[in-house]
Amino acid sequence: MAHSVPTMAPALDVNALKQFVDPLPIPEIAQHQGYRPSPADPKLNVQFYRIQAQPIACKVHRDLPPTKFWSFGASTPGPTFETRSGEPLLVEWVNALPGEHFLPVDHTLHGAEADKPAVRTVVHLHGAKTRPESDGYPEDWIVPGKSSLYYYPNQQDAAMLWYHDHALGINRLNVYAGLLGAFLIRDGVEDALNLPGGKYELPLILYDRLLTHEGQLLYPVSPDHQSPWVPEIFGNAILVNGKLFPYLEVEPRKYRLRVLNGSNARFYNLSFVDSTSTNEVAFHQIGTDQGFLPAPVPLKNLEIAPGERADLVIDFSDHRGAQLALKNDAVVVMQFRVSPKKVTDTSSLPAALRPVPKIPESQAVQTRLLTLNEYVNKAGNPVLLLLNASHWKMPITEKPVLGSTEVWSLINPTNDSHPIHLHLVRFQILDRQPYVPWLFQTKQELHFIGPPEPPDPNEAGWKDTVQAHSKMVTRIIVPFEGFTGRYVWHCHILEHEDNEMMRPYEVISPG
Ligand code: C2O
Ligand code: CU
Ligand code: CU
């Protein structure tokens, strides 16, 4: 991504640190605190959780002092929810943060003006089908000392969702501070697949950070003191479940890895490399953002954008006694140490996972042309990003009817790929097609210069976040199911989202 480098205090050179001295941490499982009557049906009791956003300090590496974070609970990432499809739950999200922010708030951004409280949180469960009042609308933030009670019906397929802060104008800072965690939904389809489970199924939550020489979080700022916002951040410290260069001892058998890109802006190109042969090890992707693919997709690299999830199965049985590095391009992220002794593996990697019927394009009642816009100053630096040239505060223009299906054509004239996420819904990618941006900008003419490209096999399932590539029109087909009301759609590069690359949309009732 060709943006100017922001100014900042010198960051710690993480390559000076010793690699693979810390075991990979696995976030604890969230524990419910009894039962409460369901808001949907007071005769029904549902699990009640209380999760507190609070300041913590924890070590990202053996040789660094503890780093200050904000976290949902005692460590970051926060606890992983283990839930069943069809079993609703209530979560009281508590803001127990201090009154001042420790990262650079930009008061020129929408929602973060100087008259707003510096510390605000609101939690969104990314990928969940929930009513608007529990969806974490960016303006539904609460201040320290307050809490919100959110209801998750969990009426959806098995998938890895994730929860994170969504407060208007400071979302990038709150997530960077550590306010994120995983949320797993299980179902009978998954049970029947006999995939690797228990200790053979692990979340790999990836995010990059910059650290000071004292091991504290460093969030870069622009040279303009009035407006410290920067267009994108890339840290040299890539953390996995909160650790830098961790290692994991594994058995020579199949593992299921639930990968989440929780980075603010970084796209990953992941591979597993055997350190003796330096060969890239083949693996399978079995699921995407919204659950299982129709069949496992063999891969050697995984491209994953902010907000996206990938469900992987990797078989270490041919690598007894070896060490495998998880790499992002050429950069080492973590190590898998495969034990030498043979084991029996009774888990499976079924050839068929579940049907994902393609939604026929003819089902769409409406096609919306939606542009992704980036505005630069005289020096060529981005100063604002919009969807469809519209600010957050402008009237709602996207009003799909509940139960209807629409095609959204994401027209991207910028030089960046933008991961576009819609709340509430799941969708399928139809295609991507290269086009001539200036003809669309000047004459509203969509002039294509190549054939439409179908989604990659590992994207050909249910998605909630799509990579809208540069100079392409990316088309998604979206059934608007669930609830009526006001939701949002946005770019999941959090710096973009915070600088207006987010819009409300409203699902309206039919008739
Ligand atoms: Cu993961 Cu609206 O976000
Ligand atoms: Cu979401
Ligand atoms: Cu973007």
Side-chain angles (χ1 to χ4, degrees), residues 58-116:
C58 62
K59 281 169 80 79
V60 301
H61 187 277
R62 183 194 66 187
D63 300 332
L64 289 176
T67 306
K68 285 193 295 177
F69 287 99
W70 287 356
S71 168
F72 291 109
S75 61
T76 178
T80 300
F81 285 80
E82 268 287 352
T83 74
R84 294 288 305 178
S85 177
E87 291 179 14
L89 58 146
L90 280 161
V91 184
E92 183 183 5
W93 297 105
V94 184
N95 181 344
L97 295 168
E100 288 306 315
H101 218 296
F102 72 114
L103 296 174
V105 175
D106 185 331
H107 295 300
T108 69
L109 296 185
H110 73 329
E113 296 82 7
D115 64 341
K116 301 285 189 314

Side-chain angles (χ1 to χ4, degrees), residues 124 126 162 164 166 307 421 423 488 490 492 497 502:
H124 169 59
H126 179 135
W162 66 298
H164 60 77
H166 220 302
H421 169 51
H423 286 207
V488 300
H490 61 88
H492 223 290
E497 177 190 329
M502 174 162 70

Side-chain angles (χ1 to χ4, degrees), residues 51 69 78 140 163 190 213 239 282 385:
I51 304 281
F69 287 99
D140 288 350
Y163 59 96
E190 176 178 20
H213 287 274
L239 307 184
L385 296 109

